[in-house]
Structures are given as structure tokens and as C-alpha cells.
Amino acid sequence: MSLSRSPSPVPGGGWSSPGLNINTSGRSSPAKSSFSGPNGGSVTWESARLKSQGVTGYPSFSTQNQGFFTRHMRRISSSLPTFNTVTDDRFAEKEKLGRGRWKIPLVGRIRTLLAKMGRKWKIRALIVLLLIACYILFYITPMWYYWRRTSWLGGGEKFVIILAANIGGGVMEWKGAREWAIERDSVRNKRKYVARWGYDIEVVDMSTKKRYAHEWRESWEKVDSIRNSFRKYPKAEWIWWLDLNTFVMEPSYSLQRHLFNHLDQHIYRDINEFNPLNISHPLTDNYLDPESLSPVGDGNIDSVNLILSQDCSGFNLGSFFIRRSEWTDRLLDIWWDPVAYEQKHMEWEHKEQDALEQLYTSQPWIRSHTAFLPQRLINSFPTGACSDNGNDSRIHYNQNDRDFVVNMAGCEWGRDCWGEMYNFRELSYYLNRNPWERFKEDLVAVIWFKLTGQKVKCEVTTLLARHQHQCQRPNLNEVSILDP
């Protein structure tokens, strides 16, 4: 019986075409047999099958679904340019309105670049990216202020700067334009400094306050301000008092690196090393304990609670440090004592400063916890102050040594406070220029001046640069070098 659904033209079933007869062997294809080709030659079934696959199948060098383009189609297509069909009136042309623009995807370019990089270069690039991210995070964003405040990184919260201002004027006169300019520059200078290192700042009003019905105690307010600041900042360990006529010349110096990390190497406790007041030290009374009889107290750096400097006439409180302690509370109470003020204020020409000198001279317990710093570490003077004996290398500011702070002490008595403040402000800007400003003023401006004889107008112009004929004040007829 034939298995065909249609009757076969051959008797007994089957078809006349070779290879189409189906036997009962279960094979899905005819057995290896030959049939006559178009030219009368013998052609086998296997050769015909292979020939058919060679024409309609995949090339011999690639297997099905395993070709190079199949495997990498998505990666290649993501890196190819895409045609942007969004119209943009800014780039429209009359003859081709709405023409798109070729745009290479950023992600595709990055992936292509990474694919070409080796493993070592990928690791190096990752390290560089991490360093750049850390720099941006900790030095450009506001985050750096907070991490420099933490006790386990920067320790900035341990320091508070008190700046004495005179917001409302004074007892004898109101402030003029120069006084306002001095206060503006001084306050801005200190605010930038504390923002850089994570310190706190307290700008106190030193306008006279009538603490007693019959007396004005002008400048004595610093004693009360120190006490209030310790209460306001409970984490503060040291308070740095600065007068208004001071300027931080080197904002890149932190208090930790400049002083407190190696405090024992900077201070001296024996006042005989520099003693302009000729105070007898140490005391020799037989009833005193060994610590009071020693010229250096107990010799322990942790027992120092008051750090100040001396100028040509004695103690100077324009810039000094005081630490939170029970000793400090006791000192502030006695320093502010109204009885001593009533008895001696007519003799104390420098007010609270002379009062502290009197306490140091007469009270042994104050000497053993007081230390001194060389003046130029925290309180350099301009050449106009303490100038009776000429320039003193222990007192006066030295640009080559990059002194930390300058104090225009006594400038209101016959000197120009605003002129000194302006000059030191410009000098500080000049000494702390960034690399781009140095490149402009020290190289480009000099070369241009030598070639053309023209002075260059710099966007960041400093006093010294103008004196050196490198830059001058803006002028419409000058060449301008703009900041990037």
C-alpha cells in the first residue's frame, strides 16, 4: 500500500523521480544513492545537499548566529553617529530648512575609549578620577570647611577668632570713610581666613558700654568678650584675640601648622629672653613653691594658658591667645575686677594692657602659666611703630620671611591707618597670587613691556606690580590680559 496521499503514476506505488520513494526503514532522507544529473552524469544525494547549503546557507567562515557583527551589533551601533531630526532655527539654511546635525553620543565615545584601553590604563584612569573627585569634594565644595573643623581631621572647631570692631563709632568721634574702609577690609580678611581653615569668628562691637554709672571702660570690653565667647562656643579650646588694625598676611598658614603642632619649639616662658619692662624674674620670696620660683614654671607645655608677645614697650594685646581652663576663669575675674580698676585706672595709660602687666608682676600664679612668642610670629609691626631705634628685626615685618600677621598698632597717633592697611593688603595679594596671576604679571607683562614699551592692564593688579612697571591701572588705550 502506498503512503502517498495522491495516487502514484507508477504501478505498485511510489514516484518516478529518484530519491522520493519512502521505504519503511524510518530514514528522513533517502539512502546514499546516485541519480542522473542534467548532463547525464551521476550525482549523489549528499553532494546535492551540500551544494544547496553553499548557495542559500551561511558562508563557510562564519557559523550561524555566531558572526562578528551579530555579537557586537549593539556596541557598534551605540558608537556610531546618530542623525538628529530635531530642527533648530539657529542652524537653519534657506535651501535645507530643518536639516539635522550629526551628533556622536558621549556615552558611546566613552565606551569606545574604554574598550581600547588596557586593564592597567583603566586602573590608572580610575585612580586619577578618584583623586580629582576628592579634590573637588574637599577643596572646592563647602565640604572642606566642615572636614577641617572635625577634631579627627582638621581640628578647626578648637579655635575661635575674636575680632574687635567699632561698629557704632567711638567715645570721642564717629567713623569716617577711612575708618569704615579699614573695618571692611579687616573683617573680610579674617572671614576669608576662618572659612579656609574651619575656625569660628566672633566680631564683637567694641563701642563703649557704660558698665558703671560714672565710668566708661573703653577697650576693657575684651575681657568680657572672651568670657562670652567661651560660653558661646563650648568646643573651643583656644581663643585668638585680634585688634581691628591687624591683617593676616599669609592666609595659607593654619594655626595648627604655624604654632600649635610644635608649640614647645616656639614659646619661651622665661621673660628674661626679651624683657623690655625689666621685670624681675623669677621671684625669690621664700614662701613660694618650687613652681613659682622656677623661671619656666613647671616646664609642662599643657600648663600654658596665656600666650602673648612683647613689643618695644612691653606686653602687646593686639594679638594673643588664651586657653579655656579654670585658671583662665580666675584670671578674667581678677582682670575685670572693678576695685583694681577704680584704684589704678588713672595710672594705666594702656588700660587693660597695663593691668595685665601689673598682674603678671605681682601674682606668681599668673607667671607660671604665661608664655611668650617672638613678636613676628603673630604680631609683626610696620616700620612706623616702635621706630625710635630704627628697624628692629625682632619686631618689624619682614616680607622675605613671610610674616604671618601685621598689626598697625598706634597708627591713629600720627600715622595713616588706612594707608598702612591698604599697602599691606596689596602686598598680601601680591605674595599670595595664584599661578595664573604670576604667569601674567611676572612673564607676559614683562615681555610685552620690553617689546612694545606699553604697560599691560592686568585684571588682578597689585601695588608692587605697578611699581615694577608690569601692570598699571585700567586705561582704555592699554592692552588687556583677561582672566580665564
Side-chain angles (χ1 to χ4, degrees):
M1 183 179 178
S2 175
L3 298 178
S4 175
R5 294 187 180 181
S6 61
S8 174
V10 180
W15 295 86
S16 59
S17 298
L20 294 182
N21 291 330
I22 301 176
N23 54 23
T24 58
S25 63
R27 293 173 59 92
S28 60
S29 61
K32 293 183 180 180
S33 60
S34 61
F35 57 93
S36 60
N39 297 325
S42 178
V43 179
T44 62
W45 176 267
E46 292 293 336
S47 63
R49 183 176 63 84
L50 295 177
K51 185 178 181 181
S52 176
Q53 289 184 356
V55 173
T56 62
Y58 293 92
S60 60
F61 59 85
S62 175
T63 59
Q64 186 176 3
N65 296 329
Q66 296 298 323
F68 174 81
F69 292 101
T70 304
R71 293 196 306 268
H72 302 282
M73 179 64 70
R74 185 177 297 276
R75 181 180 301 175
I76 295 174
S77 62
S78 64
S79 62
L80 292 176
T82 59
F83 189 74
N84 184 14
T85 59
V86 179
T87 59
D88 193 341
D89 296 337
R90 294 176 299 174
F91 302 103
E93 298 180 4
K94 293 182 179 180
E95 67 278 7
K96 295 181 180 180
L97 294 177
R99 186 180 67 175
R101 296 294 172 185
W102 290 96
K103 181 179 67 175
I104 301 177
L106 179 61
V107 177
R109 282 180 288 178
I110 294 176
R111 292 179 63 179
T112 303
L113 181 62
L114 293 177
K116 294 179 181 179
M117 295 174 59
R119 183 177 179 182
K120 291 184 178 179
W121 282 104
K122 289 181 180 179
I123 295 176
R124 294 171 183 173
L126 180 61
I127 294 175
V128 171
L129 290 176
L130 289 176
L131 293 177
I132 294 175
C134 292
Y135 175 79
I136 295 175
L137 181 63
F138 293 110
Y139 288 92
I140 297 180
T141 64
M143 185 68 69
W144 73 320
Y145 172 79
Y146 295 100
W147 73 261
R148 280 184 167 172
R149 285 183 56 80
T150 59
S151 59
W152 54 281
L153 283 177
E157 63 183 3
K158 296 181 180 179
F159 300 93
V160 176
I161 295 179
I162 299 180
L163 178 62
N166 196 7
I167 301 173
V171 179
M172 304 300 296
E173 60 181 357
W174 292 100
K175 290 190 300 186
R178 287 175 172 262
E179 287 74 18
W180 282 112
I182 291 172
E183 181 174 302
R184 177 200 61 204
D185 284 353
S186 181
V187 173
R188 180 171 53 189
N189 171 250
K190 311 308 184 299
R191 290 191 185 278
K192 286 184 177 180
Y193 181 72
V194 300
R196 181 169 186 168
W197 295 107
Y199 307 141
D200 289 303
I201 184 171
E202 185 73 11
V203 181
V204 298
D205 184 7
M206 292 298 290
S207 301
T208 57
K209 298 179 180 178
K210 200 169 185 179
R211 287 303 180 115
Y212 303 99
H214 58 291
E215 289 289 350
W216 292 100
R217 295 187 69 170
E218 188 174 16
S219 80
W220 284 82
E221 291 297 322
K222 66 176 56 176
V223 179
D224 213 26
S225 299
I226 292 173
R227 197 197 316 271
N228 293 334
S229 296
F230 274 129
R231 285 196 293 263
K232 183 176 180 179
Y233 302 96
K235 295 183 179 180
E237 181 179 353
W238 287 95
I239 281 182
W240 183 18
W241 178 276
L242 286 173
D243 281 351
L244 184 64
N245 292 329
T246 57
F247 200 88
V248 179
M249 297 294 294
E250 299 296 333
S252 61
Y253 294 177
S254 67
L255 293 178
Q256 298 92 315
R257 181 169 59 90
H258 184 61
L259 290 176
F260 289 94
N261 289 345
H262 308 283
L263 187 60
D264 55 337
Q265 301 177 10
H266 299 298
I267 64 171
Y268 62 93
R269 304 176 74 166
D270 187 357
I271 196 174
N272 294 315
E273 292 190 20
F274 182 62
N275 192 0
L277 295 174
N278 294 321
I279 298 176
S280 298
H281 185 77
L283 297 173
T284 58
D285 300 307
N286 55 10
Y287 60 84
L288 298 175
D289 58 4
E291 180 178 323
S292 300
L293 294 173
S294 172
V296 295
D298 60 359
N300 185 7
I301 190 64
D302 294 330
S303 65
V304 175
N305 295 309
L306 177 63
I307 303 174
L308 65 155
S309 62
Q310 298 184 91
D311 56 27
C312 57
S313 59
F315 291 5
N316 187 282
L317 298 182
S319 173
F320 69 95
F321 294 90
I322 190 166
R323 175 188 281 181
R324 180 193 300 272
S325 64
E326 295 181 359
W327 180 93
T328 299
D329 293 337
R330 182 182 177 189
L331 172 66
L332 295 177
D333 289 340
I334 296 179
W335 200 357
W336 182 257
D337 183 20
V339 176
Y341 174 80
E342 283 293 329
Q343 294 176 350
K344 305 288 290 185
H345 73 279
M346 297 300 294
E347 302 176 14
W348 291 337
E349 180 182 359
H350 297 96
K351 305 172 184 178
E352 80 291 347
Q353 190 167 284
D354 289 348
L356 183 61
E357 292 175 354
Q358 178 67 31
L359 291 174
Y360 181 88
T361 302
S362 60
Q363 301 295 328
W365 63 274
I366 293 181
R367 295 193 186 196
S368 58
H369 293 270
T370 302
F372 301 92
L373 282 169
Q375 183 174 352
R376 284 176 49 201
L377 276 180
I378 61 169
N379 199 20
S380 297
F381 275 6
T383 54
C386 286
S387 58
D388 295 341
N389 298 323
N391 189 23
D392 191 338
S393 60
R394 297 173 302 181
I395 296 175
H396 294 115
Y397 176 82
N398 190 320
Q399 174 183 337
N400 296 327
D401 293 338
R402 306 292 291 267
D403 290 348
F404 182 33
V405 176
V406 63
N407 180 11
M408 283 69 75
C411 63
E412 61 272 13
W413 307 106
R415 305 202 321 265
D416 184 4
C417 292
W418 165 241
E420 293 183 1
M421 175 70 74
Y422 175 78
N423 289 333
F424 280 108
R425 184 195 69 185
E426 292 291 307
L427 177 59
S428 177
Y429 291 167
Y430 178 80
L431 296 176
N432 294 279
R433 292 172 298 166
N434 59 44
W436 171 248
E437 293 168 351
R438 292 178 182 273
F439 172 75
K440 290 191 304 180
E441 297 179 6
D442 295 345
L443 181 60
V444 177
V446 175
I447 294 175
W448 184 264
F449 179 75
K450 290 183 178 179
L451 292 177
T452 65
Q454 288 182 294
K455 296 179 182 180
V456 178
K457 183 192 73 174
C458 299
E459 293 296 323
V460 183
T461 308
T462 60
L463 183 67
L464 291 184
R466 290 197 296 269
H467 286 177
Q468 295 173 2
H469 303 286
Q470 298 171 2
C471 300
Q472 65 178 13
R473 287 185 173 87
N475 191 310
L476 296 178
N477 297 324
E478 294 173 348
V479 179
S480 177
I481 300 179
L482 299 178
D483 282 332

